[in-house]
Amino acid sequence: MKKLYVYLNNYKKECVLAPLFKMLEASFELIIPLVVSAIIDVGIANGDGNYIGRMCLVMVALGLCGLVSSVTAQYFAAKAAAGFGTKVRHALFSHIQGFSFSEIDKMGTATLITRMTSDINQVQSGVNMVLRLFLRSPFIVLGAMVMAFTIDVKAALIFVVTIPLLSFVVFGVMAISIPLYRKVQERLERVLGITRENLTGARVIRAFHKEEEEKERFEEGLENLTSMQTYVGKISAFLNPVTYVIINAATLVLLYTGAVQVNLGNLTQGEVVALVNYMSQILVELIKLANLIITITKAVACARRVSSVLELKSTMPAEPSGRESEDDKDDKDVMVQFSHVGLTYQGAGAESLSDIDFSVKRGETVGIIGGTGSGKTSLVHLIPRFYDATRGEILVDGKNVKDYPLEELRQKVGIVMQKAVLFQGTIRENLCWGKADATEGELRKALETAQAKEVVDGKEGKLDAPVEQGGKNFSGGQRQRLTIARALVRKPEILILDDSASALDYATDARLRKAIREMEEAPTVFIVSQRTSSIQHADKIIVLDDGQVAAVGVHEQLLESCEVYREIYDSQYKKQ
């Protein structure tokens, strides 16, 4: 929680001025009952219209001063709260960007989105309310009681009894409802998670005709959330009737006592009205204070959730450890080397990759093939350090990947993921993710190599044609070719194509591989594919089976010596 206080450092002035102006407003509010008392006791009692008019002008002036003070306080509170929320969002987003895939897998995307949006909004609202009401409400409650004592000590004793009784009810209800509000937030997160799954997986849900099941799952989560919110609402609703019973009972006693004192000549009618006004002010402020504390409790719970993300350290720091690799760096021809590498995902019971050992020379094309779940994607994700090997080591250009700054390592690597993702904007903006200052010629060359030139030329606006979120206005094959072009714009030393041509026809796939082989930069290429046709002309083919290297060789050798490879090949080509 304390970790978030630092984001208010630039708003110290606002954090002081907002409560001060609110207390100034409260001071004007406490004076008004005395003015009303004077109007009744002097103006009305003596029939002095001029006095009544002057006092009414005083009330209007007090109201206007209170309004100006309130607006000023709200301005400073809103400025501090909005600035605080903005800084926390920026800090959280920046922190999440430094997470490795392991931390993102651990936290979950739905949780991170909830903490970035709903939780920070709640914390921001809490800061705003604290600056406005945290000092004002207690000030009015205590101030009203003090003012009551200045009017009549005997009548003020009713305040001494009523305030603790009201406080007991208000804070008792609050103590019961606060833990329940935390559960409400947790159930809200579950509903948001279900919503996100349904939106991102809409096509899959429709493909398998699971709409009704997903509706039921969503409704079940919504019912759980609603039932908890209703339960908390009922407890909170208990607050108003009880407090009104207490305050009305106190008002009756006050009126009775006041009437007796007026009859005895110890109090005036105006003073009784002033005491009743102070009692009403106490009720309103205690209710406000209760709501404020509930808001603060929610905000604190949300702040802890946000802090827990900020306190989560990346297992993959951007800067290297500073140690030097002990391996022989004399072989300048070797671009990538895996040395007895193992990978175990967090929470997994067994290794996903075991004893992976091979080397790849500069400019070579390496095919990686294997059955579903054999670890193909896991293997190539180790090269740019999306995950860290749990044993063994990986060398890139003769240097351990852990000894590279992340930015330097990933500048060497161009990777096209299994899922082709484009971002909202234009084609040009998407391609420039690969290289921010790429020229028109570089973009065109990358498009030609990726076989995406006709895709761009067929769009109105060419490179400046719009791209919808996720590339929804492009087909699967078009998205794949554009993402390949985005990787090629960088002119990487290592190019990883992770099953990125699955939506392409065989002829386009063949032209793509031929164009990559003929690139002037001659990158070291890793092609992950389920098709033997996509990798059969590779300089080296690595066959994976259940996380282990089953064989390494060229196409003809593997057909003769590797049963796993032969089974994959035979499943795609009918035996002659």
Side-chain angles (χ1 to χ4, degrees), residues 443-499:
L443 297 179
R444 287 287 177 186
K445 186 175 180 181
L447 288 168
E448 287 175 8
T449 305
Q451 309 303 304
K453 184 175 179 294
E454 64 272 20
V455 175
V456 176
D457 290 343
K459 293 285 182 180
E460 186 177 349
K462 310 290 188 207
L463 282 169
D464 295 313
V467 178
E468 292 183 11
Q469 185 178 8
K472 290 181 289 188
N473 55 332
F474 291 87
S475 69
Q478 289 173 334
R479 284 199 299 271
Q480 285 190 338
R481 282 180 279 174
L482 287 173
T483 52
I484 292 169
R486 180 172 61 195
L488 292 174
V489 168
R490 177 176 289 180
K491 298 178 181 176
E493 295 178 45
I494 301 169
L495 177 64
I496 299 172
L497 304 177
D498 185 3
D499 205 14

Side-chain angles (χ1 to χ4, degrees), residues 8 77 126 270 278 314-315 355 411 441 472 499 524 540:
L8 277 172
Y278 285 130
S314 175
T315 55
D355 200 33
Q411 283 296 328
K472 290 181 289 188
D499 205 14
T524 304
K540 185 182 295 180

Side-chain angles (χ1 to χ4, degrees), residues 174-239:
M174 184 194 67
I176 296 171
S177 59
I178 281 172
L180 297 176
Y181 276 117
R182 289 175 187 156
K183 291 183 180 179
V184 167
Q185 198 68 17
E186 289 171 3
R187 295 192 181 188
L188 173 63
E189 188 172 293
R190 290 195 199 112
V191 171
L192 289 172
I194 294 170
T195 304
R196 182 181 177 278
E197 284 181 357
N198 276 269
L199 290 173
T200 55
R203 296 186 181 186
V204 177
I205 291 167
R206 289 174 184 171
F208 287 90
H209 194 54
K210 294 287 185 180
E211 292 94 337
E212 293 304 319
E213 291 181 23
E214 288 303 311
K215 282 180 185 176
E216 289 174 9
R217 192 161 74 98
F218 178 75
E219 286 171 4
E220 183 183 349
L222 210 56
E223 283 173 10
N224 289 336
L225 174 61
T226 305
S227 63
M228 181 58 70
Q229 284 182 322
T230 304
Y231 182 56
V232 178
K234 286 178 180 177
I235 294 173
S236 299
F238 181 70
L239 186 66

Side-chain angles (χ1 to χ4, degrees), residues 505-517:
D505 59 76
Y506 285 94
T508 305
D509 185 18
R511 289 198 300 271
L512 170 66
R513 286 183 280 107
K514 182 174 183 292
I516 290 173
R517 281 198 306 272

Side-chain angles (χ1 to χ4, degrees), residues 141 161-174 239 243 246 282 286 289:
V141 171
V161 174
T162 305
I163 290 174
L165 189 58
L166 278 171
S167 300
F168 175 77
V169 173
V170 168
F171 293 110
V173 170
M174 184 194 67
L239 186 66
T243 50
I246 294 171
I282 288 171
L286 278 175
L289 188 60

Side-chain angles (χ1 to χ4, degrees), residues 10 17 25 32 175 208 283 404 440 478 491 511 537 564:
N10 292 337
L17 290 176
E25 179 208 355
I32 287 178
F208 287 90
L283 170 65
Y404 279 100
E440 186 95 6
Q478 289 173 334
K491 298 178 181 176
R511 289 198 300 271
H537 299 295
V564 175

